[in-house]
Every structure is written in C-alpha cells, then in structure tokens.
Amino acid sequence: MDLFILYLKNYIIPLLLITIVLSIFVLLLKRIHYEHSKPFRQDVTNKAEDFLTEMILSRFHKKTINKKLLEFKKEIPLHKSWCKKLVINEMIRFKHSLKGKASESILFYYQALHLDAYSEYLIRDFRSYNKCEGFYHFQSLDYKKGNSIIS
C-alpha cells in the first residue's frame, strides 16, 4: 500500500496535472487561432456570396466569365479545403433557393472552379464522413456527371 501511495504522490498526480495543464493550453491556443481567423473566413464567405450572386443572376459573355473566374480564384484561397467547402456550401444554398435556369448555371461554376474534382476526392477517401460529404455535394447540386463515380 505504501508503494502505491508513493507512486500516486510522485508520478501519477504530477502526470495528471501536467496533462490537464497542457490540454488547457492547447484548447486556449485553438480558441485564439479560431478567433483570429474568423474575420478572414467571414470575408471569404462574403466574397463567395457576392461572386455567386453576381455571376448567377446576370448574363455575361464567355470572355467576361473567364476573367471574373480568374479574379475570384486570386481573391480567395481556393486551394485550401476549408475554402472549397465554404464555396460549395454557398453554391448548395443558392441552388436550393433558386429555381429554373438560374440554378442550372451553378453547375457551370461548380465545374469551372474544379470543385467537382474536390467532391470526387472526398468520395474516393477512405473515411466515411468524407464520402458522405462528397455524396451530399453531388446530390444537393444535382450533379449528373457524378453518377459514374458513385456507381
């Protein structure tokens, strides 16, 4: 019994205290990082929403569309997965709120920004959560070209 108390006093309790302090420190750092990046993410959300609204609800020539797409790709970090998810979710939101020809143009921008490749990557991932998210993208956007990937 004395040996157990000795181990408890000298090893187990200090180890638990160090673990708790490190966990609190990591959680605080994560929260600080989240609060620091929140305005940037909100800015990207606003840019994506403005871009989609402008492109979907107005008619442009092909040259103008390509120019606007290049500008949009330069404005936001579309190479990051969180940004791709954000833009796809905005597209899904637009698709559900719009009907007719306006909702059909969403698929054009989905392909033009190569977000279909990202959804395909998610489907081919071994984690079930990512697979479900990729399926959700294809299903919500009514992406018919994705049927060959799913089957």
Side-chain angles (χ1 to χ4, degrees), residues 37-49 82 86:
S37 64
K38 189 176 178 181
F40 179 68
R41 288 179 188 247
Q42 187 62 40
D43 186 42
V44 170
T45 304
N46 291 339
K47 286 179 183 177
E49 189 175 316
W82 65 266
L86 190 138

Side-chain angles (χ1 to χ4, degrees), residues 2 4 6 9 29 45 52 62 96 108 134 137:
D2 287 337
F4 176 72
L6 181 72
K9 193 194 266 183
L29 283 178
T45 304
L52 289 172
K62 205 165 202 163
H96 289 298
F108 171 75
H137 294 164

Side-chain angles (χ1 to χ4, degrees), residues 41-57 72 75-76 86-91 93-94 97-98:
R41 288 179 188 247
Q42 187 62 40
D43 186 42
V44 170
T45 304
N46 291 339
K47 286 179 183 177
E49 189 175 316
D50 292 343
F51 169 77
L52 289 172
T53 303
E54 179 184 351
M55 298 304 286
I56 292 170
L57 298 178
F72 180 66
E75 285 182 11
I76 65 169
L86 190 138
V87 172
I88 291 173
N89 287 333
E90 284 295 319
M91 287 181 172
R93 190 177 64 78
F94 268 98
S97 64
L98 296 174

